[in-house]
Amino acid sequence: MSEHETPETPQPHDPAAADSASDAVPTPPPAPPAPSDGPDAPPTTPPTGPDGSEYVPGAHALPPADPRHAPGHASANAPGEPSPGLTDGQSAPGQPAPGQPYGQPAPGQPYGQPAPGQPYGQPAPGQSYGQPAPGQPAPGQPYGQPAPGQPAPGQPYGQPGPGFPPAGPEIGPNKKLPLGALIGIIAAGVVVLLVIALAIIIPLAGRGGDAGGGSNGEPAPPAATPEEWVEEYLTALSEGDAETARKYVDTSSYSDALLTDEVLAASLELGAIDDIEVGEAEEGEYSDVVVPATFTVGGTEVTREFEMYQSEYDGDITMYNGGARISTYGFDDIGLTVNGVEISEDALVFPGMYEFATSLEEFTIEGETTLLVADEKSEEAASMLRPVLSETGVASFRELVTASLRECLAMKTLATPCGMDVTGLEQDGFSPVDGTVTRALTAEGEASLAALVGEVSDRAVVSTYESFRTDITLEGQNAAGERGAFEVLFGAGMLSPKVDFAAEAPTVVWE
């Protein structure tokens, strides 16, 4: 308080100090100026406080009192009596214990922390106004700068700040690191070296493998550009080097059973690969790069585009359509061979000439059996191949059917395995008599049987819908026991013969 400041005439406070104090304790309004003695002086009205009560100059602002102790409150206790719920001699919350000086911390409470019930922002007992609270900057110290003896922002707690000596055991000429510290440092160094080594080895290990277009994880030879990749691939094919050529082909979707030296050698014998020309790579519609190329196979020019992808990470190249697909559709149980090698599932071939055949001698390929397979168009032509009976198959089928039919014709029973059943026939009250049926091929029927060919109906099953005309006669008997001879003109049809040549012992089944 300055020499001009009295409780009756307080001086204006510093605005910053007023702001900080306003959060904690209501500030009383300034006292009005002393009234003048003149006739125009306004009437004197005593100032009021924030709650509307009369303001008394010199009175100190205190925190709001506990409403339970307000006059007339139901729970207010009489002076000198303990608060409700407290035993005699026990202090109420926020009040000092009996015999304890006011403003001193209660037993067990850290010094410098506000006592219960003390408004936040007021100095703790024993702390002077103007001194920084714990964790707050000192007056005049920039916010965010560490206080003396405190760690700087971002500095681990417990580490010495600038200008402080290092903490921990002193290390000097006569001091040594503990054994545990040395082991920890060495172990950390080994881990760092391993991480660096893996970071180098893993990308190198991935180059040229499946990610680079090779099959079975075999790395493809290095190629700087997609054009070089295609040229090296076609060159390997022309030289009959299947082992190298297959490293350029992606075999993740189809079998690679035909990508062998044996099959490639047979292909080159049917048509050599020459006149290789590779164009400039272009941006592809379905891939990153498209490389056009022309070459000849057995003198026939082939023009095709190789679709490729080149990794921006390590430059590895993948060729999606390096080979051509051979379909086995329609050859189940029959067996499809390509240049003498049998396949049981769709497989890839190198661009070239191929001869198609079947595994079972009773079958062959319909139409042309030697085809150029080098691009999508010729690949589609190869997928249209279908099996038919070979001459051996025709002869075997005819022989088996004829033998089985002759056995049926010799039977006198009402029904046979071949059909021609007369069991339910009735004419003029006469019913067929078992053991009296005679069946014989007509001349037309004999001619049909002699010319029987058959066709592949399903897998290795061969059947025919050929009709073999037959004369059938029998004896009938009526209810009186009388008999008569009859000729069957209709209603006793023959079944169709089928033979499964994939069976161990092919036989005829009539259906």
Side-chain angles (χ1 to χ4, degrees), residues 426-441:
E426 185 177 345
Q427 185 175 347
D428 298 332
F430 288 84
S431 298
V433 177
D434 193 15
T436 65
V437 182
T438 300
R439 303 173 177 91
L441 289 175

Side-chain angles (χ1 to χ4, degrees), residues 395-413:
S396 297
F397 180 69
R398 183 183 301 161
E399 181 181 349
L400 290 171
V401 171
T402 300
S404 180
L405 180 57
R406 297 294 184 197
E407 291 179 1
C408 292
L409 294 174
M411 296 179 180
K412 298 294 183 177
T413 54

Side-chain angles (χ1 to χ4, degrees), residues 258 270 325-327 331 335-340 343 349 352-358 364-373 378-379 381-383 385:
L258 300 177
L270 295 172
R325 180 178 66 93
I326 300 297
S327 173
F331 290 88
L336 177 65
T337 64
V338 181
N339 284 2
I343 57 173
V349 293
M353 295 291 293
Y354 294 94
E355 185 174 10
F356 296 87
T358 62
T364 187
I365 303 296
E366 183 180 19
E368 183 63 43
T369 59
T370 301
L371 299 176
L372 169 63
V373 183
S378 57
E379 176 184 297
S383 67
L385 295 176

Side-chain angles (χ1 to χ4, degrees), residues 182-242:
L182 288 173
I183 294 176
I185 294 174
I186 294 173
V190 171
V191 171
V192 172
L193 290 176
L194 286 175
V195 171
I196 295 174
L198 288 174
I200 297 174
I201 293 173
I202 290 177
L204 292 178
R207 293 181 61 87
D210 285 336
S215 62
N216 301 327
E218 300 175 357
T225 65
E227 294 90 342
E228 292 178 353
W229 182 280
V230 173
E231 184 172 0
E232 291 173 7
Y233 170 58
L234 295 176
T235 300
L237 292 181
S238 67
E239 296 173 352
D241 188 357

Side-chain angles (χ1 to χ4, degrees), residues 481-495:
E482 298 174 344
R483 288 197 175 191
F486 299 93
E487 182 180 0
V488 180
L489 300 178
F490 57 87
M494 186 182 300
L495 299 176

Side-chain angles (χ1 to χ4, degrees), residues 74-96:
S75 62
N77 56 306
E81 293 182 359
S83 299
L86 300 178
T87 60
D88 191 12
Q90 183 177 359
S91 58
Q95 300 300 322

Side-chain angles (χ1 to χ4, degrees), residues 59-266:
H60 294 283
L62 296 177
D66 191 336
R68 292 175 301 178
H69 299 282
H73 194 277
S75 62
N77 56 306
E81 293 182 359
S83 299
L86 300 178
T87 60
D88 191 12
Q90 183 177 359
S91 58
Q95 300 300 322
Q100 176 185 349
Y102 190 86
Q104 296 299 320
Q109 176 186 350
Y111 192 83
Q113 299 295 325
Q118 176 185 348
Y120 190 82
Q122 296 300 316
Q127 176 185 349
S128 304
Y129 270 99
Q131 294 298 321
Q136 301 298 322
Q141 175 188 345
Y143 187 80
Q145 296 298 321
Q150 299 297 324
Q155 175 185 349
Y157 191 81
Q159 297 297 324
F164 285 82
E170 180 183 357
I171 302 176
N174 298 326
K175 301 290 184 177
K176 295 184 179 180
L177 285 173
L179 179 59
L182 288 173
I183 294 176
I185 294 174
I186 294 173
V190 171
V191 171
V192 172
L193 290 176
L194 286 175
V195 171
I196 295 174
L198 288 174
I200 297 174
I201 293 173
I202 290 177
L204 292 178
R207 293 181 61 87
D210 285 336
S215 62
N216 301 327
E218 300 175 357
T225 65
E227 294 90 342
E228 292 178 353
W229 182 280
V230 173
E231 184 172 0
E232 291 173 7
Y233 170 58
L234 295 176
T235 300
L237 292 181
S238 67
E239 296 173 352
D241 188 357
E243 182 177 358
T244 298
R246 65 180 289 153
K247 298 174 183 178
Y248 292 88
V249 180
D250 179 10
T251 60
S252 59
S253 300
Y254 304 105
S255 170
D256 61 352
L258 300 177
L259 304 182
T260 64
D261 288 338
E262 177 187 2
V263 175
L264 180 57

